[in-house]
Structures are given as C-alpha cells and as structure tokens.
Amino acid sequence: MTKTCTTEELLAGTQIPLDVFSYHYYNGVSERIAGVLPAAHWPSHLAHSDPYLAVAPDCARAHAALRDRFVPGGQMWVTESGDAGGGGDTWASTYLDVLRTLNELGSYATITDGVIFHNTLASSDYGFLEHGTFLPRPNYFAALLWNRLMGSAVYDCRELNRENVHVYCHSRKDGACGVVYLIINNSLTDAISVTIPQKALRYTLHAQTMRSSAMLLNGKELTISGNCGLPELVPELQPQGTVSLAPSSCTFFSL
C-alpha cells in the first residue's frame, strides 16, 4: 500500500528556503474515473452552481494558509489545473466550463498574486484548443479576453457578490485610468440587473446552449478566419445606467 503524507509532513524537513508554494488543483474528477472516486465527481447539472464554483477559491484559501506557514511572503502557483482530473469532463470543451474558468481566475486573484497553469493546451477534453484541429474552444477565448482586459491591481468586490452573482474588479490592462469589472451570472434561468455609473465598454460572453462548442461575444460567434486569424474582440458601448445581464452570461465592463 502506498503511504500518503500531508503537506506539513512533506515540508517540515525543508532546509532550503522556498521561493514559491505550488499545488495541483482540479474541480473534481471526470466521468471516466468517477467509478473509482464517485464522491469527487460533479454531475453536469451542477457545473454552473455556486457550490461547484466555490471549490477553487476554497481550495486556494486552504493552500494560502499553508503558503503563509511554509513560504511566507512567497507567491502561490497552481501548477496544474483544469475542470476535472482524469482528462476532463465531456463538457469541459463547451461554454458550460467558461463560468468555472473565469470564476477561478477571478477568485484566485483575490487570494494571491500567483499564477495558474492550465493543463492542457491541445490535448484532452479540457484543452484550450481542440485536439488535432487546434481550433480554439470557448475557454481559450475566455482566457484571452481576461488576459487582455484585467490588470494586475485587484480590488475588493466581496460586498457585491450574492447567490448566482460573482463580481471581480481589476485595474485596466491597457494602463488607462479606470477599472474593469467581471460579472458572472451563473443562474440558468434569471437575469440580473446592475447599475453602471458611467459609460463603459461591454464584452458579454454567452452561448446558444450551455454545452455549445461555439461561444458568442456580444451576440457574434467567435471563430478563427482565413490563415488562422483570431477574431477581433470588439466591445459594445454601454451607456450609463441599469443594465440587464442574461442568465448564464459572463460580462466584462471596462470603465
């Protein structure tokens, strides 16, 4: 029988100071190995739910306490991640997993300034690119938009969160004065209303169905064209005032 050890046991004898605390993280295990670890598998009808989205930040907070103990002042890295261990769930390549991906990025940034390594780029169900064709999947465009918009300064938005609403706020990646909000409406049935204090650039990600392999940006499908040219991630101008955000949508507002 293989002996397991705790993080405390693993790090207790460390003699050389560490620069980075890292761990591997998945939101559970996939369908293909659910028979071996049934308690660790989440069914698809819960893959949008608040408890499911809470797994990543809860795990990060638990590891942050260990980081503070064994690598005080160091960054915390997730050196392998994806929707589920065992190659990913069958919906990892669809829009359904975008809610988890963006919420993971947003919540992780509120806990540490470390980085997340996604496994993998072009293999398995959770690869950002489709195996063989290398066509971008919805999560690729979600991560691309996050990287282009969200700056390194992170602001506290916890008071704005509520059931089925997850809000994150960063500085602007382009260096301009202002902020960028990410608002995830993970309800499958109810729209939410938010108030925008000034005009903003709006980027809303959504899909025709939750398990669609095509994602829409402000109603336009994101696809590559010509010689593998990426689409322009074009925002809409959002006037000041109350805005309705559709069920199961993820919206960036650049103010």
Side-chain angles (χ1 to χ4, degrees):
M1 179 180 294
T2 302
K3 182 183 183 300
T4 60
C5 64
T6 65
T7 302
E8 288 87 349
E9 291 172 331
L10 184 65
L11 294 178
T14 302
Q15 300 296 316
I16 300 174
L18 303 176
D19 296 319
V20 172
F21 181 98
S22 74
Y23 67 96
H24 288 191
Y25 160 78
Y26 292 95
N27 239 64
V29 300
S30 66
E31 297 116 316
R32 62 174 56 86
I33 61 173
V36 180
L37 297 167
H41 175 66
W42 290 78
S44 61
H45 71 273
L46 294 178
H48 72 284
S49 66
D50 282 345
Y52 182 76
L53 297 184
V55 175
D58 287 350
C59 186
R61 292 187 192 97
H63 282 92
L66 293 168
R67 182 272 314 273
D68 293 343
R69 178 178 171 186
F70 293 105
V71 194
Q75 286 191 335
M76 187 168 73
W77 294 4
V78 179
T79 43
E80 184 176 316
S81 72
D83 88 308
D89 287 304
T90 53
W91 63 83
S93 61
T94 72
Y95 176 73
L96 176 57
D97 195 48
V98 168
L99 280 69
R100 178 202 61 80
T101 294
L102 288 178
N103 189 72
E104 183 175 310
L105 291 171
S107 61
Y108 188 73
T110 65
I111 298 167
T112 180
D113 63 350
V115 295
I116 296 176
F117 294 69
H118 179 82
N119 182 34
T120 61
L121 178 63
S123 180
S124 79
D125 285 313
Y126 51 57
F128 278 176
L129 306 180
E130 183 180 1
H131 179 68
T133 68
F134 301 107
L135 292 172
R137 288 170 166 168
N139 268 331
Y140 174 88
F141 290 117
L144 178 63
L145 191 57
W146 169 278
N147 188 59
R148 288 188 178 180
L149 296 178
M150 305 296 267
S152 58
V154 182
Y155 304 105
D156 189 353
C157 293
R158 284 175 294 180
E159 75 281 359
L160 301 177
N161 293 321
R162 59 184 189 273
E163 183 179 5
N164 293 325
V165 179
H166 301 264
V167 183
Y168 303 102
C169 184
H170 284 223
S171 59
R172 291 176 51 145
K173 184 68 172 288
D174 61 10
C177 292
V179 296
V180 180
Y181 284 94
L182 166 61
I183 304 175
I184 301 171
N185 177 5
N186 57 299
S187 170
L188 301 186
T189 56
D190 299 329
I192 61 173
S193 294
V194 299
T195 300
I196 305 301
Q198 64 188 63
K199 66 180 180 180
L201 298 178
R202 172 177 174 168
Y203 304 79
T204 293
L205 300 174
H206 55 117
Q208 296 293 342
T209 66
M210 294 305 294
R211 296 189 68 155
S212 174
S213 59
M215 185 164 67
L216 309 177
L217 171 60
N218 295 332
K220 184 177 180 180
E221 183 175 336
L222 292 171
T223 59
I224 64 171
S225 61
N227 188 23
C228 297
L230 288 173
E232 291 188 47
L233 303 178
V234 180
E236 290 183 350
L237 183 61
Q238 180 64 56
Q240 173 186 353
T242 301
V243 184
S244 179
L245 302 181
S248 63
S249 64
C250 302
T251 302
F252 295 86
F253 288 109
S254 182
L255 286 74

